[in-house]
Amino acid sequence: MAQVQNNEKPTSVDGLKKYLDANNIEYSHIEQIEGGTANYVFRVSHGNGLPRIYKHAEPYIASSNGAIPFPVDRMNYEATALQLVHDLLSDVNAVKVPKVWNYDQPSKVLVMTDAGDKTLKEAYNDPDIDIPEIGRLLGEWLVLLHHKTYEIGIGEGGNPIAKSIYRWSYSHLAQAAGQYGLDTDFCDYVDRTYGSLLESDDESVCHGDFWPGNIMLNKEKTLTVVDWEICRRGRPETDVAQFAAEAYLLDRFRGGKGLLDAFLKSYRRKEHDLGKDLTVDRRFITRFAVHMGVHLAFWPASVKWAEHGNTKAVIELGHELMRRGDAEDMGWLRENLLGGLLKRDD
């Protein structure tokens, strides 16, 4: 494909039209998709065929208008991960990843199947959506992702850029705690003790941003896991804990539909089927509890879920979860948030 010139970068509908014209790609309609943060994303219709998603990376976060640098190599890792996981988990019908149709590496343009226009977060209160069933399907799928990639690489260093970005919530945890009068020294301890591990963790391929906002649903209610640009080699607990934290927030503030419990039970049961008993795996539970606690203690301080009082209550819960995880207080964890992982089925 022709390399993008400065005056025809696909950062707008007009820019993408120039890119497509330069590469002799026919199209009938282009729609820029809003709501993303890091990249420029478009839905492109080609004649009578199904629309495809075009994703373009610039060396900065798109929503920052160039103010926040973000290396474009992120798209190389995303393309690699999508192709890898698509093949490894091709026999899983209920949860998919987008199929890569083309990756123009010099121009950083990734072309994928269209996974739909509604995220799980947006669809949470849809009466036609079975939230516990979705939690079950995602828990099983995530176990398979981790188990099937123990020996699989995704590029040099396991994506060091993503490892650095993923520590952001740990390294800024004390700042968020200070806004609510909480113990900042403990936050520094968590960053030194657990945040530092993220750069050397190397057990499996991790999605890196596994949360309901990156699970798409189409009209047939098929689930598709998108946005793999900060995938990395890491530890599975971080993927599980991030989704668990966001599932907890949805359940608490959007209707209590049981996403968290269904997801954790499903993950535990699938791990058990594959020979691993999470109920006695203290290393897994400790890292999981701390990471979920960090997420709850940091992100609600900047992403609004509720008014100040409820926000502070969630942040305080995050701190308690970090402390109990660090102390390996399995009794407290079993009865508070982690029951789905620690309570065996009768």
Side-chain angles (χ1 to χ4, degrees), residues 302-320:
S302 56
V303 179
K304 185 175 181 180
W305 280 91
E307 35 69 41
H308 180 84
N310 272 323
T311 297
K312 184 177 181 181
V314 169
I315 292 172
E316 289 173 339
L317 176 62
H319 278 252
E320 185 71 9

Side-chain angles (χ1 to χ4, degrees), residues 111-122:
V111 186
M112 305 166 284
T113 52
D114 187 351
D117 57 6
K118 183 177 287 189
T119 70
L120 175 56
K121 182 177 180 180
E122 295 166 335

Side-chain angles (χ1 to χ4, degrees), residues 83-157:
Q83 292 165 324
L84 169 73
V85 176
H86 183 274
D87 293 341
L88 283 176
L89 300 181
S90 61
D91 57 341
V92 180
N93 294 320
V95 182
K96 299 292 186 183
V97 299
K99 176 181 173 61
V100 174
W101 291 102
N102 184 70
Y103 178 42
D104 180 357
Q105 184 170 339
S107 298
K108 296 295 181 289
V109 176
L110 182 62
V111 186
M112 305 166 284
T113 52
D114 187 351
D117 57 6
K118 183 177 287 189
T119 70
L120 175 56
K121 182 177 180 180
E122 295 166 335
Y124 181 82
N125 282 312
D126 187 329
D128 296 326
I129 299 294
D130 186 340
I131 289 297
E133 176 64 6
I134 286 177
R136 183 187 70 80
L137 293 170
L138 290 173
E140 291 185 353
W141 180 88
L142 192 58
V143 170
L144 294 175
L145 169 68
H146 296 149
H147 273 258
K148 291 194 174 187
T149 59
Y150 285 146
E151 306 298 329
I152 301 293
I154 55 169
E156 184 178 356

Side-chain angles (χ1 to χ4, degrees), residues 225-239:
V225 183
V226 300
D227 283 354
W228 289 75
E229 64 203 3
I230 57 172
C231 67
R232 70 195 197 290
R233 292 283 306 176
R235 283 196 60 84
E237 299 95 305
T238 55
D239 273 346

